[in-house]
């Protein structure tokens, strides 16, 4: 069972959805394995291979480990709470938020802000853009320089789209066809 309640819904995701998240967490944009990733060599991945739903908890933990900025926290496998990961991304991308806002609302704000910035209009009302367009808007120079945020931003964006997909019956594959 996933220890962070904000990531529990990953247990209901399809194998295909988790496969994409697995790739986001383990591979750099150029297709090489991330230096800090441990997921591809973990026992669960070795045993279950492509049955990602059988180790969705380990996939969620990988995000929490990789989002650590310090080497010490990473080596100690400190589990950074998902809410803290979101807040860190918001701070770096200079997205305003209220500390009492729910994770679901923060994720929606994240998606809407990236949509607005991609189009160049504030409160544009555009709610659907391809994953790669949203990601390119979120991958600022500061994000690209941080090994923790370089993995956290695409993973959180994908998780936000997954949750939006599950809660509003939106087809996530309209967003992420570019990843295939």
């Amino acid at each position: 069972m996933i220890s962070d309640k904000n990531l529990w819904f990953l247990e209901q995701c399809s194998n295909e959805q988790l496969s994409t998240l697995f790739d986001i967490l383990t591979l750099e944009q150029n297709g090489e394995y991330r230096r800090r990733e441990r997921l591809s060599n973990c026992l669960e991945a070795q045993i279950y291979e492509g049955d990602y739903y059988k180790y969705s908890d380990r996939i969620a933990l990988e995000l929490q480990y990789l989002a650590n900025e310090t080497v010490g926290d990473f080596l100690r496998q400190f589990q950074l709470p998902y809410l803290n990961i979101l807040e860190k991304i918001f701070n770096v991308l200079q997205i305003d938020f209220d500390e009492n806002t729910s994770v679901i609302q923060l994720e929606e704000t994240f998606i809407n802000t990236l949509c607005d910035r991609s189009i160049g209009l504030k409160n544009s009302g555009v709610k659907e853009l391809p994953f790669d367009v949203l990601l390119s808007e979120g991958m600022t120079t500061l994000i690209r320089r941080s090994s923790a945020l370089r993995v956290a931003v695409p993973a959180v964006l994908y998780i936000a789209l997954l949750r939006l997909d599950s809660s509003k019956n939106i087809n996530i594959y309209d967003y992420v066809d570019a990843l295939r």
Side-chain angles (χ1 to χ4, degrees):
M1 183 168 140
I2 298 173
S3 60
D4 190 323
K5 67 179 180 165
N6 293 310
L7 296 172
W8 284 350
F9 85 98
L10 290 176
E11 293 177 341
Q12 280 80 45
C13 290
S14 73
N15 224 22
E16 188 175 9
Q17 292 168 328
L18 291 172
S19 170
T20 302
L21 183 56
F22 181 93
D23 289 344
I24 289 170
L25 292 171
T26 58
L27 301 174
E28 292 284 355
Q29 286 183 325
N30 63 7
E32 293 180 17
Y33 281 99
R34 295 182 189 280
R35 280 188 258 161
R36 295 175 34 173
E37 71 89 15
R38 297 177 180 167
L39 185 58
S40 62
N41 292 316
C42 75
L43 182 61
E44 296 91 337
Q46 301 299 316
I47 294 171
Y48 300 120
E49 297 176 356
D51 291 332
Y52 301 102
Y53 65 90
K54 290 183 179 177
Y55 58 104
S56 60
D57 55 340
R58 183 61 182 84
I59 293 171
L61 279 174
E62 186 73 4
L63 170 61
Q64 293 179 283
Y65 295 153
L66 288 174
N68 286 305
E69 285 286 348
T70 67
V71 174
D73 283 342
F74 175 73
L75 293 175
R76 285 190 297 275
Q77 296 185 342
F78 175 72
Q79 296 175 28
L80 190 63
Y82 184 68
L83 178 61
N84 293 30
I85 297 169
L86 264 171
E87 290 173 348
K88 186 188 323 184
I89 291 170
F90 273 49
N91 288 331
V92 172
L93 293 177
Q94 299 176 343
I95 300 173
D96 294 328
F97 68 98
D98 180 11
E99 290 184 15
N100 298 320
T101 306
S102 73
V103 165
I104 293 171
Q105 291 171 318
L106 287 173
E107 288 175 336
E108 288 180 11
T109 299
F110 184 46
I111 293 168
N112 292 337
T113 301
L114 293 178
C115 283
D116 290 349
R117 288 180 180 178
S118 295
I119 293 173
L121 298 171
K122 192 171 187 177
N123 299 320
S124 67
V126 173
K127 303 290 183 196
E128 295 182 28
L129 287 174
F131 178 83
D132 58 338
V133 172
L134 296 174
L135 183 59
S136 67
E137 192 59 44
M139 294 300 282
T140 64
T141 303
L142 195 55
I143 298 286
R144 289 180 200 275
R145 288 182 185 157
S146 165
S147 60
L149 292 174
R150 195 170 56 243
V151 66
V153 169
V156 167
L157 177 58
Y158 185 71
I159 289 169
L161 292 170
L162 280 176
R163 194 184 320 263
L164 185 65
D165 175 42
S166 67
S167 68
K168 295 187 178 177
N169 293 324
I170 293 172
N171 185 0
I172 187 152
Y173 298 109
D174 290 343
Y175 287 99
V176 294
D177 281 336
L179 289 177
R180 294 186 194 164

